[in-house]
Amino acid sequence: MRGKRSLLSLILVFVMVMSLALTGCGKDDPAKDPDVSETDGKSGNEDNKDAQKDSDSGKDGQKDAKDEVKKPEKIKVMVDGTLVTQENGRAAFEKAWTELTGVEIEIIQPDHDAYYDVVGQTIASGDWPDVILLGSTYYAGYASEGVLWDMTEAWENSDMLASGAIPNPELIDGLKIDGRLYGITPARGNGCVTYIKKAWLDNVGLGVPTNYDEYLKVLDAFTTGDPDGNGVNGDTYAVSSAGLIGKEAPYTNYLPEFYQDAFPSFYMNEEGKWVDGFTEPAMVGALERLRDAYQKGYIDKESLTNGTSDCRNKFYEDKFGIFTYWAGTWGTNLKKNLEANGLDGELIAMEPIAEVGAYLERQAPVWCITSTCENPEAVFDIFFETMLDGGEGQRLWTYGVEGVHWSTVAEEVCGNTYTEGQFHMLENLEKEGTQYTKNHIDPMLSIRKFTAFEDPGAWQIAPEARNSQETFNANSKLVPLVLSTEEMSQYNGDLTTLKNEIVANVVTQGMDIEAEMQRFADEGGAEWSQMIVDSLNR
Amino acid sequence: MFRQKKDKVPVSTRSLGKRIYYYRGFYLMFLPVLIFALIFYYAPMLGIRLSFYDYKGIKDPVFTGLKNFEKMFSMKGFWAAFKNTLEISIIKLLINTGAAVVISLLLNELIFLRFKKIAQTIIYLPHFMSWVVTASVFTLILSPTQEGLVNAFLTTLGFVEKGNEIYFLGLRNLWRPAYYVINIWKETGWGTIIFMATLSGINPELYEAASIDGADRWQRMKFITIPALMNTIITVLILNLAKVMNLFESVFVLQNHAVVRQSDVLATYIYTQTFNSGALPNYGYTTAVGLVRSLVGCALVLICNHISKRIRGRGIV
């Protein structure tokens, strides 16, 4: 009996060991296609380029291919919660899209907060959708790993580009990786603009600052004076932010006036070389400005531990007067919340001060076609050309479905009365008492204007929201899209932790900048940074 | 004689298969547990192999041998996190257990039963708050402004000047003390349950006898209560020592960039490497760190088991 037990144990151990040893690499993964294998020494990008060149040689070839393209019966799309959800009438959206295109659509829409977990699992499983929405890090990473279809030629030969309806095609060019395009965004990424309370400026007798010196004067007046008019000097401060450095690109967007031309991560300089902005002299200047302002009390002491909601609440409670926050709808939200607290809600969306030059616009999530899509040219035509057609398709992606998400019937919705023919959004199916504001595309950020008819929802946009958005759009530049390299995966986690620690140490603990920069070098930061830079320039 | 009889274990003469068939009802009841354990505990262990590969979740993993481990052992961040994990966990364990014992003894001295129950309920409540809520509450309480309860109090007492309030969660030398205090507030009450149960099991005749012999309150506590609690204290310490590598949530919600060197633990280090690298993460590396963390945890369990056998005469597993 004892022998049998031992034998059974041995067999079980053997099975476990063998399963551990042999279950490694046998799955039939689409990414294992010879076109993207590592053995030939080419990257996924290069192989995709070759494949693209083989299949599309010139515009005529593209046109012929277009003519020959067979419509797919169904498109499988993966998207986050920025599209109307199942509970909010997604079925109606799918039906309307199918009626518009003649193609069936299957939408995979995981929980918004867990979206990238599910994306990772889906890509790892090998069962890829035809079309997928990706954030910039995943876009660059998946493109370099050969997951995404190279749509450069499809874009360059597209009707929407040829028609000239896209006023800023450079926004799409900004998505190119090594000159190749793997995705398109229907809307700008948006960013933060600096709001300043007009009543506070009036109380201290200053105008809107246009350069850093003027800005400092405002900071000082807001911190040491009585900008809120409560009769007490020095009970306010000028600026608050959620963290001293952002967790993701553009990193500096909550404190642009202090960072100015410094960028604490990787970007391509004017000479076309990748560099790490953290190691440049501009970063030292930024740290000095931040430290000085923090020590003088201009910046909220709690900025290190603030969340964005903490900052908003303090702003509404009139504790500080300058808030760099999202442009567009937030302009209205900030105003309304100030007014709800019985305060003057007039805010000025500042143009960037001279030293800043331009606010940073984040990379918007990108719609991509996967490299396993059987008929990518047709999917491109059907999906993108309708999404940005300037007419019915765009209206569907912007406002949803008539009768479900919007209407023009005379009625009262959530206490608002509309006349016959007046476009308005309907009551949210999930949140009673609130109206929808949009579907997937924010009308203020769309890269294409409506051309078939006037933007039906334009009249609904509050003037302060429009003003802040226009200020931002006219004074912003796109944050660089950083490639994902092996070295980046290996070292950027530790590098980012070290950089963030140094910024916090210098600003909040008042530590010597030179000593901290020396520590950056001593603890391997400079070496990791250089390795990543080299990999990007390779 | 009796002991010899007890040690003699009867051996069944039936085959294993027959015995399984005989007890099939029990095996059937056990089956769901077995399936659950296999699927959710043992099958995921296959992922351990990724620590020997480079893997970004797209292409097939590429075998790299011990490269991930070499990198891990060469990274200062890893060693800082490793050291912090042990330091923070063990200090937290000792402080929390000590506080729980003290509170238990104090509660045990309470005469009015109603007040005792109310006090117990109040100190249990923080355990049921999520760490996210706890962090928010303490960020307000420890705010470096006059709105922060602690700073306002210190200002009133004259220890802190107005305008020079202390940033408890933002200063490197104060973050850990603040963290331990928050932990005491949240977990001590819950920790008293087991000690209160032990205290209620002490024979009251011992106290009566001690009183008759002239022992005062302090002497009764010193010579009866504390010795009676000692075995439980050691048990609690040993059981919790095995879990010291599991530290994550409480640190994650309270840490910030300024104190990362004092607060980063292995679990938060893995999180940073996975989600904050700005690139597709190398799951091979993070799995390697996770594996080391598990192995250290496993070693601690075995050591604790050994200590437990030595002290209590029986193991914990």
Side-chain angles (χ1 to χ4, degrees), chain A residues 1 24 29 32 36 124 142 147 301-302 304-305 319 486 488-490 492 494 501 509 511 519 523, chain B residues 19 49 56-60 71 75 143-144 147 163 165 167 170 172 261 269 273 277 279-280 282:
Chain A
M1 180 54 65
D29 192 334
K32 204 185 168 189
V36 288
Y142 287 160
V147 176
K301 264 187 178 180
E302 290 181 283
L304 190 63
T305 44
K319 288 180 181 170
E486 183 60 33
M488 183 85 81
S489 299
Q490 291 283 342
N492 204 35
D494 286 288
E501 189 196 355
Q509 326 273 319
M511 296 183 83
R519 191 164 70 81
E523 296 192 359
Chain B
R19 273 187 290 150
R49 74 185 195 281
K56 290 184 188 168
I58 303 166
K59 293 176 185 171
D60 284 344
K71 181 198 160 190
M75 299 302 266
S143 167
E147 287 171 6
E165 290 85 0
Y167 200 173
R172 294 192 295 175
R261 195 158 290 250
Y269 179 74
Q273 295 292 321
S277 70
L280 293 181
N282 178 8

Side-chain angles (χ1 to χ4, degrees), chain A residues 1 19-20 23-25 27 29 31-32 36 38 123-124 137-138 141-142 145 147 245 294 301-302 304-305 319 484 486 488-494 496-498 500-501 504-505 508-509 511 519 523 528, chain B residues 14-16 19 45-46 49 53-62 67 71 75-77 139 143-145 147 163-165 167 170-172 256-258 260-261 269 272-273 275-280 282:
Chain A
M1 180 54 65
S19 61
L20 272 170
T23 47
C25 320
K27 75 172 173 172
D29 192 334
K32 204 185 168 189
V36 288
E38 295 178 343
I123 297 298
T137 301
Y138 287 86
Y142 287 160
E145 294 288 325
V147 176
I245 185 166
Y294 189 86
K301 264 187 178 180
E302 290 181 283
L304 190 63
T305 44
K319 288 180 181 170
S484 179
E486 183 60 33
M488 183 85 81
S489 299
Q490 291 283 342
Y491 299 109
N492 204 35
D494 286 288
T496 306
T497 302
L498 185 57
N500 292 345
E501 189 196 355
N505 279 349
T508 63
Q509 326 273 319
M511 296 183 83
R519 191 164 70 81
E523 296 192 359
W528 302 330
Chain B
R14 281 186 290 189
S15 69
L16 179 67
R19 273 187 290 150
M45 278 192 202
L46 295 174
R49 74 185 195 281
Y53 290 81
D54 265 354
Y55 181 54
K56 290 184 188 168
I58 303 166
K59 293 176 185 171
D60 284 344
V62 178
K67 194 186 107 184
K71 181 198 160 190
M75 299 302 266
K76 280 190 177 173
T139 304
S143 167
T145 62
E147 287 171 6
N164 285 324
E165 290 85 0
Y167 200 173
L171 288 173
R172 294 192 295 175
N256 58 67
H257 294 152
V260 71
R261 195 158 290 250
Y269 179 74
T272 308
Q273 295 292 321
F275 297 108
N276 288 353
S277 70
L280 293 181
N282 178 8

Side-chain angles (χ1 to χ4, degrees), chain A residues 221-506:
Chain A
F222 279 10
T223 307
T224 58
D226 181 25
D228 57 352
N230 68 350
V232 181
N233 282 342
D235 66 340
T236 52
Y237 44 88
V239 179
S240 183
S241 71
L244 297 167
I245 185 166
K247 285 180 181 163
E248 56 187 13
Y251 305 107
T252 63
N253 55 338
Y254 288 141
L255 294 163
E257 288 79 13
F258 300 100
Y259 278 101
Q260 296 181 5
D261 54 343
F263 187 71
S265 190
F266 303 96
Y267 72 97
M268 192 177 273
N269 66 13
E270 288 169 356
E271 294 159 17
K273 292 272 178 198
W274 284 97
V275 291
D276 182 358
F278 193 84
T279 61
E280 296 188 319
M283 193 65 207
V284 175
L287 289 174
E288 279 170 358
R289 283 187 292 275
L290 280 164
R291 185 178 60 185
D292 292 347
Y294 189 86
Q295 287 178 351
K296 285 177 180 165
Y298 298 162
I299 299 177
D300 179 10
K301 264 187 178 180
E302 290 181 283
S303 288
L304 190 63
T305 44
N306 274 341
T308 48
S309 61
D310 297 322
C311 296
R312 289 197 302 266
N313 291 335
K314 288 174 182 181
F315 193 66
Y316 304 148
E317 289 163 11
D318 228 19
K319 288 180 181 170
F320 69 101
I322 303 174
F323 190 23
T324 305
Y325 208 57
W326 297 99
T329 314
W330 272 108
T332 304
N333 293 344
L334 295 177
K335 178 179 185 284
K336 282 185 177 172
N337 280 290
L338 282 168
E339 287 169 352
N341 280 358
L343 300 166
D344 188 329
E346 191 172 351
L347 297 172
I348 298 167
M350 271 172 54
E351 287 189 8
I353 59 171
E355 291 82 352
V356 172
Y359 293 118
L360 292 177
E361 179 170 2
R362 68 175 174 176
Q363 290 281 358
V366 185
W367 282 103
C368 310
I369 297 174
T370 59
S371 54
T372 52
C373 176
E374 284 181 8
N375 200 348
E377 290 88 357
V379 170
F380 182 91
D381 284 350
I382 292 160
F383 195 78
F384 292 109
E385 297 273 18
T386 54
M387 184 188 275
L388 290 168
D389 64 359
E392 276 185 55
Q394 191 163 333
R395 184 173 61 192
L396 183 62
W397 283 95
T398 308
Y399 297 110
V401 181
E402 184 175 8
V404 179
H405 304 111
W406 59 271
S407 173
T408 54
V409 175
E411 60 187 330
E412 188 181 303
V413 182
C414 300
N416 297 314
T417 308
Y418 301 98
T419 54
E420 185 65 30
Q422 190 179 20
F423 179 94
H424 58 274
M425 301 305 287
L426 292 173
E427 186 173 9
N428 193 309
L429 291 170
E430 216 175 2
K431 293 179 199 163
E432 281 181 22
T434 60
Q435 284 173 276
Y436 291 111
T437 51
K438 65 175 181 67
N439 185 9
H440 177 67
I441 302 174
D442 186 329
M444 281 194 290
L445 296 171
S446 175
I447 63 166
R448 177 173 183 171
K449 301 292 170 202
F450 283 94
T451 45
F453 41 77
E454 287 286 309
D455 178 355
W459 73 273
Q460 301 178 117
I461 299 168
E464 59 277 355
R466 184 179 295 283
N467 174 257
S468 73
Q469 193 66 65
E470 285 173 356
T471 303
F472 178 81
N473 289 355
N475 296 285
S476 61
K477 63 180 179 189
L478 202 59
V479 75
L481 185 72
V482 180
L483 305 179
S484 179
T485 66
E486 183 60 33
E487 286 76 4
M488 183 85 81
S489 299
Q490 291 283 342
Y491 299 109
N492 204 35
D494 286 288
L495 182 63
T496 306
T497 302
L498 185 57
K499 286 177 179 176
N500 292 345
E501 189 196 355
I502 287 171
V503 171
N505 279 349
V506 168

Side-chain angles (χ1 to χ4, degrees), chain B residues 25-316:
Chain B
F26 294 124
Y27 281 103
L28 202 63
M29 282 193 283
F30 171 66
L31 200 60
V33 179
L34 178 69
I35 292 169
F36 182 87
L38 286 174
I39 293 173
F40 293 104
Y41 292 113
Y42 287 93
M45 278 192 202
L46 295 174
I48 289 169
R49 74 185 195 281
L50 288 178
S51 58
F52 302 99
Y53 290 81
D54 265 354
Y55 181 54
K56 290 184 188 168
I58 303 166
K59 293 176 185 171
D60 284 344
V62 178
F63 184 75
T64 53
L66 297 173
K67 194 186 107 184
N68 288 327
F69 293 92
E70 282 169 21
K71 181 198 160 190
M72 180 172 66
F73 293 131
S74 70
M75 299 302 266
K76 280 190 177 173
F78 166 77
W79 286 115
F82 187 83
K83 185 169 153 274
N84 288 344
T85 308
L86 290 176
E87 279 180 8
I88 294 175
S89 295
I90 291 170
I91 293 172
K92 182 169 80 88
L93 172 62
L94 293 174
I95 292 175
N96 280 7
T97 309
V101 170
V102 171
I103 300 282
S104 303
L105 292 172
L106 291 174
L107 284 171
N108 196 45
E109 293 296 316
L110 290 176
I111 296 164
F112 300 109
L113 196 64
R114 197 184 176 88
F115 179 72
K116 185 179 175 180
K117 282 187 175 174
I118 290 169
Q120 274 180 292
T121 307
I122 289 170
I123 62 168
Y124 292 163
L125 281 178
H127 172 78
F128 299 100
M129 281 173 78
S130 80
W131 267 109
V132 177
V133 175
T134 305
S136 303
V137 169
F138 272 90
T139 304
L140 288 173
I141 291 173
L142 299 173
S143 167
T145 62
Q146 284 304 307
E147 287 171 6
L149 189 69
V150 177
N151 271 303
F153 184 63
L154 291 174
T155 308
T156 309
L157 294 178
F159 291 121
V160 169
E161 271 182 51
K162 206 172 176 182
N164 285 324
E165 290 85 0
I166 302 167
Y167 200 173
F168 291 99
L169 293 175
L171 288 173
R172 294 192 295 175
N173 56 341
L174 290 179
W175 186 85
R176 279 203 192 175
Y179 174 80
Y180 296 136
V181 169
I182 295 168
N183 265 278
I184 288 172
W185 177 82
K186 190 171 185 323
E187 297 300 342
T188 299
W190 192 247
T192 59
I193 290 177
I194 196 163
F195 297 117
M196 291 299 289
T198 308
L199 289 171
S200 65
I202 298 173
N203 189 347
E205 287 175 4
L206 292 172
Y207 291 109
E208 284 170 23
S211 297
I212 291 166
D213 289 344
D216 60 20
R217 229 173 179 184
W218 168 245
Q219 284 170 322
R220 289 201 298 271
M221 187 186 283
K222 189 178 172 187
F223 295 110
I224 299 173
T225 313
I226 292 177
L229 267 184
M230 201 47 82
N231 202 24
T232 308
I233 293 170
I234 292 168
T235 305
V236 167
L237 279 173
I238 288 171
L239 288 172
N240 287 326
L241 196 62
K243 296 189 284 187
V244 297
M245 303 305 282
N246 296 344
L247 200 60
F248 174 67
E249 205 182 353
S250 57
V251 172
F252 184 70
V253 294
L254 285 166
Q255 71 174 173
N256 58 67
H257 294 152
V259 297
V260 71
R261 195 158 290 250
Q262 286 69 37
S263 63
D264 210 19
V265 291
L266 282 176
T268 53
Y269 179 74
I270 291 170
Y271 180 89
T272 308
Q273 295 292 321
T274 308
F275 297 108
N276 288 353
S277 70
L280 293 181
N282 178 8
Y283 295 110
Y285 179 65
T286 47
T287 308
V289 179
L291 178 60
V292 167
R293 177 170 160 251
S294 302
L295 287 175
V296 173
C298 189
L300 282 171
V301 171
L302 294 175
I303 291 166
C304 290
N305 194 43
H306 181 70
I307 296 170
S308 176
K309 275 182 183 168
R310 293 285 296 271
I311 295 174
R312 304 192 304 158
R314 63 178 193 276
I316 58 170

